[in-house]
Amino acid sequence: MTTQTTPAIRYAAVTFDCADPAGLARFYGELLGYRTLFATDDFVLLGTEGTPGLGFTRVADYRPPTWPDPAQGKQAHIELGVDDLDAAERRILELGATKPGFQPGEKRWRVLLDPAGHPFCITTLA
């Protein structure tokens, strides 16, 4: 009789589709202080050893999200915790993000778009 064990499964990364994996990895690497753990021409994984990371994979016909217009869905969405919304927003915009006009909860969080058009939020709630 063999004993079955439950395999260990852990969260490893979130991967974003994009046209330029290296470019988007530079943005998030600078933003979060992550380093490149693995890279090819079509995929980059950022993070720190032993913790979940962020991946970026090349999609030939990539079309950025049209958020908040549902015509082209968000594709991925992350929340980043910050101490000061205004200061964090300024820094992230300096790095190349943009801020869409629609802000559903601007006093508690801000929606920004990374250089490939993916929406993400910064919040003091986390």
Side-chain angles (χ1 to χ4, degrees), residues 19 29 34-35 37 41-43 50 53 71 85 91-92 97 105 107 117 126:
Y34 283 1
R35 63 183 179 85
L37 299 175
D41 289 343
D42 294 321
F43 180 77
L85 280 173
R91 174 66 176 140
I92 294 167
K107 291 183 188 218

Side-chain angles (χ1 to χ4, degrees), residues 3 8 10 17 21-22 25 52 56 61 66 72-73 79 87-88 98-99 109 117 123-125:
T3 303
R10 68 186 181 284
D17 290 350
F56 308 93
D61 61 348
T66 55
Q72 180 66 33
E79 304 277 340
T98 57
K99 183 178 179 182
W109 67 86
T123 180
T124 56
L125 300 176

Side-chain angles (χ1 to χ4, degrees), residues 9-29:
I9 299 172
R10 68 186 181 284
Y11 168 67
V14 168
T15 298
F16 291 88
D17 290 350
C18 60
D20 178 12
L24 198 53
R26 276 191 299 278
F27 170 79
Y28 279 103

